[in-house]
Amino acid sequence: MPSSDVTGAQGKMSDETAARRQPEPKINPRMQSTSDVILISPNEGHRRALIRGLANQSATVVSTLALYPAYNHLLTVIEQDCDAFIIEIDTDTNAAMNLVETICDRKPSATVMVYSASQHPALLVSSMRAGAREFLSGSVLSPALGEALLRASARRMEMADRRVRGKVLIFWGAKGGSGVTTLATSFAIALRQETGGEVALLDLNPHLGDVAVLLGLTPRFSIAEALANPERMDKEFVATLMTAHRTGVSVLAAPDAYNSLRADGGSIGKLVDLLSEQFPFVVIDGGLSLGDGAGPLFQMASTIYLVTQADIPSLRSSQRFVSYLRAYGEPNVELVLNRFEGRKAQFDDDQLTKTLGIPPKWKVPNDYAAARRAADSGAPVILDKGAIAESLRRMARAACGKPAEGMKKKGFLFGN
């Protein structure tokens, strides 16, 4: 007897699975489903049957995928607004179960339903363990599907008040030596000071990153342990890798020695996603050595701070990077002119905007002595009261939604 209720006649769940189930939200049986659904089914016959069943329930199919999406594509799919994902699991059960688990971790407000032509109890138990809330099988009956969609809508409303994911703020250099690490490190501390909340600082330079050096830290663990063990990666495991800085910032540093660590996009995306579940702000020092592994970062970013200098090579690299980002939609990019010297600048704001397609948002003044002193002492420039610290505080205030404070000093404008 087909059913969409996981606790129904399809087969009894194991005691372990039943214990993990949360109470289902109460629904009014007279309500009609108006759910938005994303359907993933490589099997054409199953796909057509599910589409007919959803149409009978007045559900809106937001997107239909005829393939199980790869992780990078899945990030885009998950961000679509919907009440439920329906995933057909017969085509490739292992791939489908991995998909169920990823969606449940990434978007807990949505309900994941699985569909199989089989009514085997083992499939039901495996689906529940992966995180699915509903199990559809056989010929999907409209009343059963309608009840499942109503539960999905009710669950989404209940989840609406839960904590949202933290902001992912990426510092990315137009070219090597742009000063990204110095800015990202002090920016993270400024966020901590401005908000009083938790801030994670992630050094994604797998080959010899310098965040730990600039903070005067000797971490026991690094991103190497995280990226080398993707199957172990969960909130608890990642939490054990973090190192606390005296300012209250939690740091996940780069390895202390050069290694051949491969930073693939899936592992990086999962790591950043886990951090964003635990921290209101995740500040990332992004490294050019990430290659294609940087893709998930750009998709997940609340803001990308593109750090450059006002010279021809740097601006050319910035222009190419801005063009490259168009492949990831319309990410929020803020241009940061580092080591800025207003009186010696070769280009004004209009020229920079015309060249890069985005205006300079922030101008961090040139203070080589302060930056060098900070690097040598392990005391970040934000702990100084100089011009660089003032500009970074202004950036941090904007990032956390505080009103801007007009700060001018020595002829420099800190932000526009």
Side-chain angles (χ1 to χ4, degrees):
M1 181 175 67
S3 171
S4 64
D5 186 348
V6 297
T7 59
Q10 291 296 338
K12 295 182 179 180
M13 292 184 296
S14 67
D15 292 340
E16 173 193 357
T17 305
R20 294 173 56 190
R21 293 274 291 161
Q22 300 295 321
E24 294 292 344
K26 296 180 180 180
I27 61 174
N28 183 343
R30 294 184 179 182
M31 292 176 61
Q32 183 178 11
S33 168
T34 57
S35 299
D36 294 331
V37 176
I38 291 177
L39 174 61
I40 303 174
S41 174
N43 185 296
E44 184 177 358
H46 294 345
R47 191 165 63 248
R48 289 180 176 177
L50 288 166
I51 289 174
R52 286 195 299 269
L54 291 167
N56 289 337
Q57 292 301 311
S58 300
T60 300
V61 180
V62 176
S63 180
T64 304
L65 283 73
L67 295 172
Y68 297 129
Y71 188 86
N72 288 356
H73 182 206
L74 180 60
L75 290 174
T76 302
V77 174
I78 290 175
E79 289 306 314
Q80 296 183 73
D81 192 29
C82 70
D83 295 289
F85 294 83
I86 299 181
I87 302 172
E88 172 259 304
I89 63 174
D90 289 342
T91 302
D92 187 334
T93 302
N94 289 335
M97 292 303 178
N98 288 334
L99 191 60
V100 170
E101 185 173 359
T102 301
I103 294 174
C104 290
D105 287 341
R106 183 77 175 91
K107 194 170 187 176
S109 62
T111 294
V112 177
M113 307 179 187
V114 300
Y115 172 80
S116 172
S118 169
Q119 300 180 15
H120 199 290
L123 284 178
L124 183 149
V125 174
S126 296
S127 300
M128 296 306 105
R129 285 177 174 168
R133 290 280 185 171
E134 307 284 350
F135 187 87
L136 308 167
S137 66
S139 58
V140 182
L141 299 179
S142 293
L145 179 58
E147 291 172 5
L149 292 172
L150 286 173
R151 284 190 289 271
S153 296
R155 188 176 301 116
R156 185 185 185 188
M157 288 187 286
E158 286 189 355
M159 294 289 291
D161 293 333
R162 296 191 180 184
R163 180 184 174 187
V164 297
R165 292 175 184 270
K167 286 187 175 182
V168 177
L169 307 166
I170 300 173
F171 281 75
W172 193 267
K175 59 190 296 293
S178 297
V180 170
T181 302
T182 297
L183 299 186
T185 302
S186 284
F187 175 84
I189 296 173
L191 267 179
R192 169 69 178 177
Q193 294 173 339
E194 291 290 341
T195 65
E198 293 184 289
V199 176
L201 175 59
L202 176 58
D203 190 344
L204 275 182
N205 292 277
H207 313 298
L208 302 177
D210 289 328
V211 164
V213 174
L214 294 187
L215 290 175
L217 291 175
T218 306
R220 183 180 177 187
F221 301 109
S222 73
I223 60 170
E225 283 75 25
L227 300 181
N229 298 278
E231 70 286 348
R232 291 183 56 196
M233 209 186 298
D234 57 23
K235 292 180 183 179
E236 290 72 23
F237 178 60
V238 172
T240 65
L241 305 180
M242 308 296 287
T243 301
H245 186 252
R246 58 190 174 93
T247 59
V249 172
S250 298
V251 180
L252 184 50
D256 190 44
Y258 190 88
N259 61 67
S260 57
L261 179 67
R262 180 176 178 269
D264 67 275
S267 297
I268 290 173
K270 186 174 183 180
L271 173 60
V272 174
D273 193 43
L274 288 169
L275 289 172
S276 71
E277 290 181 350
Q278 302 174 68
F279 294 87
F281 298 97
V282 179
V283 179
I284 297 175
D285 176 4
L288 297 173
S289 61
L290 287 176
D292 293 339
L297 296 181
F298 303 141
Q299 293 176 316
M300 301 167 74
S302 301
T303 303
I304 301 171
Y305 296 100
L306 175 56
V307 181
T308 188
Q309 297 181 56
D311 58 62
I312 296 296
S314 297
L315 294 176
R316 180 175 180 272
S317 295
S318 299
Q319 183 184 47
R320 294 162 67 188
F321 181 72
V322 171
S323 297
Y324 166 76
L325 282 179
R326 294 189 185 122
Y328 297 96
E330 297 293 335
N332 180 32
V333 181
E334 296 188 2
L335 185 65
V336 181
L337 294 180
N338 194 25
R339 302 171 186 144
F340 181 73
E341 297 180 294
R343 295 176 182 176
K344 298 180 181 179
Q346 301 179 50
F347 309 98
D348 60 27
D349 288 1
D350 289 340
Q351 290 173 313
L352 292 171
T353 302
K354 184 176 181 180
T355 299
L356 302 179
I358 55 174
K361 177 72 174 179
W362 308 103
K363 295 168 183 175
V364 180
N366 187 23
D367 191 344
Y368 177 80
R372 179 62 182 269
R373 184 168 59 251
D376 290 343
S377 65
V381 292
I382 195 65
L383 302 180
D384 190 8
K385 293 183 179 180
I388 297 177
E390 290 184 8
S391 59
L392 288 170
R393 289 190 190 284
R394 187 179 179 89
M395 290 175 63
R397 289 180 67 84
C400 66
K402 285 190 174 183
E405 294 179 352
M407 299 182 185
K408 288 188 177 182
K409 187 173 181 180
K410 297 182 181 179
F412 293 114
L413 174 64
F414 303 108
N416 291 333

